[in-house]
Every structure is written in C-alpha cells, then in structure tokens.
Amino acid sequence: MKISSAEVVVTSPGRNFVTLRITTDEGLTGLGDGTLNGRELAVVAYLRDHVAPLLIGRDPANIEDTWQSLYRGSYWRRGPVTMAAIAAVDVALWDIKAKCAGMPLYQLLGGASRTGALAYGHASGRDLPELFDSIRAHLAEGFRAIRVQTAIPGLGTVYGVATSGGGDTRYDYEPAQRHPQPVEETWDTRAYLRHLPGVFEAVRAEFGPELPLLHDGHHRMTPIQAAKLGKELEPYDLFWLEDATPAEDQNALRLIRQHTTTPLAIGEVFNSVHDYTTLLSERLIDYVRSAVTHAGGVTAMKKLLDLAGVYGIRSGIHGPTDISPVGMAAALHLDLAIHNFGIQEFMPHSARTLEVFRTSYRFTDGLLHPSDTPGLGVELDDDAAAAHPYVPAYLPVNRLTDGTVHDW
Ligand code: KDG
Ligand code: MG
C-alpha cells in the first residue's frame, strides 16, 4: 500500500482547526490534527509545502520510519510548528493502520488497561455563587473531577473564567479572539495569590473532601510565588496545580518542589521528551500535560509517557477545545491503553464543531471512552468543514497593571 495524497483541511466552526487527511492507493483514509491555536497557518504551510510532497509514495504502515524521517530528516527539529505537523502525519498513519487492522487504535497500543478515562471539566465563576453553580452544573453532567478558576477582584477578564454563558461557546473559556489583533488582559499576580486560597477553602467547605479539584496557574508565577501558593493550597488537597511557572525553565520546578507537596502538572506547551528530562528523572512533577497534537503524535507521546511511568509520573493529556476532536480521540486511545494514566482534560466541543468532525467517543459517568470503531473513530465532513472558512484569531496578551507584558 502507498500514500497517494496528503491534503490539509482548514475549518473554523467557531474556532480554527487544521486537519491532515492521508489517503492510500487502496482508498483508506486517516486523519491527523495539526491545530496550533493562533498560529494555524504556519502548520498549514509546513504540512502543505514541506511535508505532504514527501509522503506521496511512502508505505503508510511504516509509522516509526516516517516519524524519524520527518524529525531527523528535516535537520531543523522540535518546536511547536514542526511537532504539530509531525503529529498530524503520525496520528493519520495510526488511524490508517488501525482501520486496516479493523481495530480501535487502543488495541494496537496494547489494549485497554481500564474501562474509561477519568475526565476533568472546567468550572469557573466571577464570584463564589457563580463558581458553585458552575461546579454543580458539571457534577450534574457527570464530571467526577473539576478544575476551579475564578475571577480576581480588581481585574477584568482573566484566563479560565467563562465570560459568555450558553450555546456553543459555553466551554470556550479562552477562545482565540476572532479578529486580526489579540485582545489585551490585565494581570496582577499578588492579587491572584491573595484571592485564590480563600476560594479553595470555600469550595472544599461546600463540596467536601472527596471531589478531585484542579487549578491552572497558566504560567504566571515566579518560582517562589508558586512555592508559596502550593504551600497555601495544601490544606485543600488539590489533584494538581498546573503550569505554576513559565514552561521553559525546568529548574524552576525544583524550587517549587522543595517547598510544597501540592502535586504539580506541566507541559501543555512542551513539544518534545527533551523538555521533560530533568522533570522526570528528578521527579519534579506528578503529571505530564503534553497534547498528542503538539508533541509529535501517538508515537512520541507513547514513548514520553512510558518514560514518565518509569518514575511513577502519570498522564494528564491536554484536552482544551483548541485540540480538534481528532486530537482528542488520539488522546483517549492512549489514555485507555497506557498503565500510568492519571486524568484527561475534557472541554466538550461545540455542536457546530461536532457537525464537522463526526466523533464516536463517549462520556459516561465521568469517564471517557474512545469507542470500538476501527481507527481513531472520527470522520471529517468535507461539506460541513467548507462552510466554515479560516478566520484570523489570536490568544489574548497579558499586561501587568503598569503595562508590562506578562505571560498569559
Ligand atoms: O491555546 C491555549 C489553550 O490550549 C490553553 O490556554 C488551555 O491552559 C489550557 C488548559 O489547561 O486547557
Ligand atoms: Mg493549562
């Protein structure tokens, strides 16, 4: 069997998605997600101009060889654009292989290690009553683990807090803004640090000790600020504190670790196992947050998670709505198969997105299952996709109260 075409589809049913469809001379097709929020067209050009021509005529069965050819063979390696492009190819080839075998992908990864993947949902509120309502709504939908984000008194819109209720955008807490300039938000870390422990105290008092609670610091603290927050949150027994500091500095996690037993998760902006070597070998984190879509696909994620498992570190695969349903399905097959599964982030996609991407994965009683459909279990409706052309969109930019640009 040979690859006969590799076509990039861009669609924007509320937000932009980049999908690679690989077709073989025997008529089999596979889908891969290459969506990189706010930089989508860079991946499109990389795939269309530099990768697709190299795929034609290759044997789709040789996934490892194709991965290594795209990684080592390009000379320039790593980085989010390259690794999203490689991920799109890799996942599409796994989709083809599993369809060929007539099996769901998780069977090729070793079979099911569990009945379903524990998912966490995103609760948020501008004040405690709104937050409690949001937590209750998520519990009513079946979630058994909840991420908690709140507004900060004195600041306007901040990361992770729903600003538009209802309809398609309900879970899109950080939509890329659909116009040609990023919006700006204001940030004050000291105000955040003063406010957050009281919020978790109130949530624990209201919802009891059992419910797993998570929080995303979204890269905004210095190491010593994160250490202080981790210590102050210890009485509220978080499942994890995510992205406490900007991700480039692995040594920062060493300082945080020395001060707190709050579990730490990091890695949604990492794209290579090499971003994790210190973090894993020194056990500086508890959860690996990379997305299949941004870290080189199923092939690379399986290796990364197996290495994490050596150190007793578990998975917490990134699953916001800017990962397409194709990337989400790939994550779910890994979640079901690997031994060291931790938790799966789940922001359900909008109804409009699910008209473009026909999914078969299901969410029941707090657990996600990728389904037993052969392959990934996701198909792309070309007509629906074509009805939603690309719209320029950016993530927000943060500024401190004095105007200094800060990590968002
Ligand atoms: O594109 C950026 C989003 O994926 C990110 O802001 C979401 O931090 C995020 C999360 O934990 O889901
Ligand atoms: Mg995050």
Side-chain angles (χ1 to χ4, degrees):
M1 193 163 31
K2 301 246 177 293
I3 295 174
S4 53
S5 77
E7 166 205 2
V8 186
V9 179
V10 182
T11 181
S12 193
R15 64 187 317 148
N16 295 315
F17 295 109
V18 176
T19 309
L20 180 70
R21 181 194 279 121
I22 295 180
T23 305
T24 74
D25 54 1
E26 294 182 13
L28 276 172
T29 59
L31 298 178
D33 179 25
T35 307
L36 186 60
N37 201 1
R39 294 292 184 272
E40 297 88 357
L41 298 187
V43 185
V44 172
Y46 194 108
L47 279 170
R48 193 193 49 217
D49 299 339
H50 301 295
V51 171
L54 309 181
L55 296 177
I56 309 304
R58 291 185 77 96
D59 184 342
N62 297 339
I63 300 177
E64 179 73 27
D65 183 65
T66 300
W67 196 99
Q68 298 295 347
S69 303
L70 294 175
Y71 183 79
R72 292 173 203 281
S74 68
Y75 188 69
W76 311 108
R77 55 186 69 176
R78 301 172 64 178
V81 176
T82 297
M83 298 311 282
I86 293 178
V89 175
D90 184 78
V91 170
L93 293 182
W94 277 109
D95 192 15
I96 289 173
K97 191 181 275 294
K99 281 179 181 166
C100 235
M103 291 180 184
L105 173 57
Y106 73 82
Q107 289 292 1
L108 304 190
L109 302 175
S113 291
R114 55 196 51 79
T115 54
L118 177 69
Y120 72 89
H122 286 202
S124 74
R126 282 165 294 188
D127 51 26
L128 283 179
E130 205 175 273
L131 175 62
F132 288 3
D133 284 350
S134 174
I135 295 174
R136 283 191 199 100
H138 281 79
L139 294 175
E141 282 166 32
F143 280 101
R144 293 192 214 155
I146 307 281
R147 191 183 87 158
V148 170
Q149 306 290 137
T150 66
I152 313 298
L155 301 183
T157 305
V158 296
Y159 167 77
V161 181
T163 50
S164 52
D168 272 2
T169 55
R170 179 162 166 212
Y171 285 103
D172 275 352
Y173 294 146
E174 62 291 334
Q177 303 294 316
R178 286 159 68 82
H179 56 80
Q181 291 292 325
V183 296
E184 296 198 344
E185 294 178 357
T186 306
W187 183 249
D188 179 345
T189 311
R190 292 188 67 237
Y192 163 75
L193 293 174
R194 281 195 301 276
H195 184 62
L196 196 70
V199 171
F200 273 91
E201 184 183 15
V203 171
R204 272 286 173 234
E206 181 73 14
F207 293 94
E210 288 294 331
L211 182 64
L213 297 176
L214 303 85
H215 178 71
D216 192 346
H218 224 260
H219 327 273
R220 287 149 194 225
M221 289 171 271
T222 64
I224 203 69
Q225 287 172 332
K228 178 178 182 323
L229 180 66
K231 256 166 95 164
E232 286 179 3
L233 292 178
E234 279 173 22
Y236 315 116
D237 189 25
L238 265 61
F239 186 96
W240 79 33
L241 172 61
E242 176 188 342
D243 285 341
T245 48
E248 297 92 332
D249 183 5
Q250 295 189 40
N251 294 316
L253 276 293
R254 195 179 291 122
L255 190 144
I256 304 169
R257 199 63 148 179
Q258 282 161 357
H259 290 278
T260 179
T261 56
T262 292
L264 301 172
I266 201 163
E268 69 181 44
V269 302
F270 292 177
N271 47 67
S272 161
V273 65
H274 299 289
D275 294 321
Y276 282 100
T277 45
T278 305
L279 300 178
L280 299 182
S281 64
E282 296 188 27
R283 294 184 170 85
L284 301 181
I285 57 171
D286 301 279
Y287 296 93
V288 162
R289 283 286 287 145
S290 284
V292 178
T293 301
H294 299 143
V298 167
T299 298
M301 283 293 281
K302 179 76 168 68
K303 293 177 189 182
L304 166 60
L305 294 170
D306 284 346
L307 179 62
V310 169
Y311 299 100
I313 295 166
R314 294 192 284 155
S315 69
I317 300 181
H318 195 212
T321 42
D322 48 285
I323 299 295
S324 89
V326 174
M328 187 68 196
L332 296 183
H333 286 280
L334 273 164
D335 290 340
L336 208 66
I338 59 171
H339 175 67
N340 55 325
F341 169 75
I343 201 163
Q344 173 63 52
E345 182 179 22
F346 182 42
M347 293 175 77
H349 286 99
S350 68
R352 237 183 318 165
T353 297
L354 296 176
E355 279 163 21
V356 174
F357 297 93
R358 309 286 167 138
T359 57
S360 53
Y361 51 77
R362 47 181 197 268
F363 177 62
T364 324
D365 292 336
L367 303 183
L368 283 158
H369 192 285
S371 92
D372 285 316
T373 307
L376 281 174
V378 182
E379 295 302 329
L380 180 69
D381 181 323
D382 285 298
D383 292 335
H388 303 290
Y390 169 78
V391 178
Y394 290 97
L395 284 160
V397 167
N398 246 350
R399 286 188 187 276
L400 300 179
T401 48
D402 71 354
T404 308
V405 171
H406 192 66
D407 304 85
W408 183 75

